Amino acid sequence: MQTYMTGGTLEVLLVDAEGIRHTNLLGRASYYVIIECGTREYRSKESSSEDDKISWNEKFTFEFPLSDWENLTHLKFRIMDTELFTDTGFVGETIVHLGGIITEGKDRGFIELKPVPYNVVLEDDTYKGEIKIGFRFIANKEAHVTETREFLAEDKTKPRGSIRRSIANIWRILWWRFLFCHKTDSKTKHKHK
């Protein structure tokens, strides 16, 4: 039995970040994350750092048809900050490749990856800090359900064999076994006499 994925939903849990670069000169910066997946983009809420840790605890949902999921290769997380005198400043980014997540999710129908830390890459390609992200991919398998329902509906329209015919076939088989066994027994009895 084949299952056809018509699309899927990727849920992204943006948990927190720690040890990231501080670009502000005065006071505490507020941080937010821009999450890009294909042509879709989300912006997290702003969160200020406390004890070198920034918390968001936000969930974002990306829904695409199968044709789009086959072409989507990664998610990009850009960490930005806002300061007193500037609108935004680039802090760092993380790219998570989606190949394994989508493949496993398609095959199993569902996959969940608990939040784990990913390195934050700076403009000069060095690492500073980590961002913790979790994933859940749910395959949409409506095509399989529809196909099964259509198949069952087609089976109901086919004529069924009658019960009488089935019982007659069983009796015919039993009768032939009885005759065959009875003839074999009577031939062996005559030979031994």
Side-chain angles (χ1 to χ4, degrees):
M1 175 168 39
Q2 285 188 330
T3 305
Y4 300 101
M5 186 177 104
T6 60
T9 303
L10 178 67
E11 294 177 354
V12 178
L13 179 60
L14 177 63
V15 181
D16 58 33
E18 59 184 306
I20 62 174
R21 181 179 71 160
H22 299 285
T23 59
N24 57 329
L25 299 173
L26 299 171
R28 284 190 179 167
S30 292
Y31 297 91
Y32 64 93
V33 179
I34 297 173
I35 305 168
E36 297 175 27
C37 184
T39 58
R40 306 234 175 101
E41 188 175 281
Y42 287 107
R43 179 184 165 154
S44 74
K45 64 183 179 186
E46 289 186 16
S47 180
S48 38
S49 65
E50 291 184 25
D51 299 328
D52 204 31
K53 190 171 189 174
I54 303 116
S55 294
W56 293 285
N57 288 321
E58 275 189 89
K59 183 167 66 170
F60 302 91
T61 304
F62 295 91
E63 292 186 39
F64 290 106
L66 176 61
S67 58
D68 288 355
W69 282 121
E70 289 174 346
N71 298 321
L72 295 173
T73 58
H74 65 276
L75 274 171
K76 184 185 280 188
F77 299 84
R78 284 186 293 143
I79 303 172
M80 309 294 283
D81 71 355
T82 58
E83 298 178 20
L84 185 59
F85 298 112
T86 61
D87 189 23
T88 60
F90 177 79
V91 175
E93 70 180 14
T94 297
I95 295 176
V96 177
H97 294 277
L98 296 173
I101 296 170
I102 294 170
T103 302
E104 286 292 314
K106 275 175 40 178
D107 292 347
R108 295 180 183 182
F110 173 86
I111 187 170
E112 183 173 356
L113 302 173
K114 302 287 183 195
V116 295
Y118 292 86
N119 288 329
V120 175
V121 182
L122 306 177
E123 288 174 327
D124 62 358
D125 289 332
T126 60
Y127 301 102
K128 174 90 170 109
E130 298 175 327
I131 184 169
K132 192 182 285 188
I133 309 163
F135 299 96
R136 179 185 294 160
F137 184 82
I138 305 160
N140 182 349
K141 297 188 178 185
E142 288 180 15
H144 169 70
V145 173
T146 304
E147 180 182 314
T148 303
R149 287 182 184 156
E150 289 172 8
F151 179 73
L152 291 175
E154 289 173 4
D155 279 350
K156 289 181 181 178
T157 61
K158 292 180 183 177
R160 290 179 156 183
S162 71
I163 294 175
R164 223 179 299 152
R165 191 175 325 142
S166 298
I167 293 173
N169 285 337
I170 292 171
W171 277 110
R172 191 174 311 133
I173 291 168
L174 291 174
W175 178 250
W176 280 108
R177 280 190 179 173
F178 173 75
L179 285 178
F180 178 74
C181 290
H182 183 65
K183 286 182 182 179
T184 307
D185 287 344
S186 50
K187 285 181 184 176
T188 54
K189 285 181 184 176
H190 290 294
K191 286 183 182 178
H192 292 294
K193 285 185 180 181

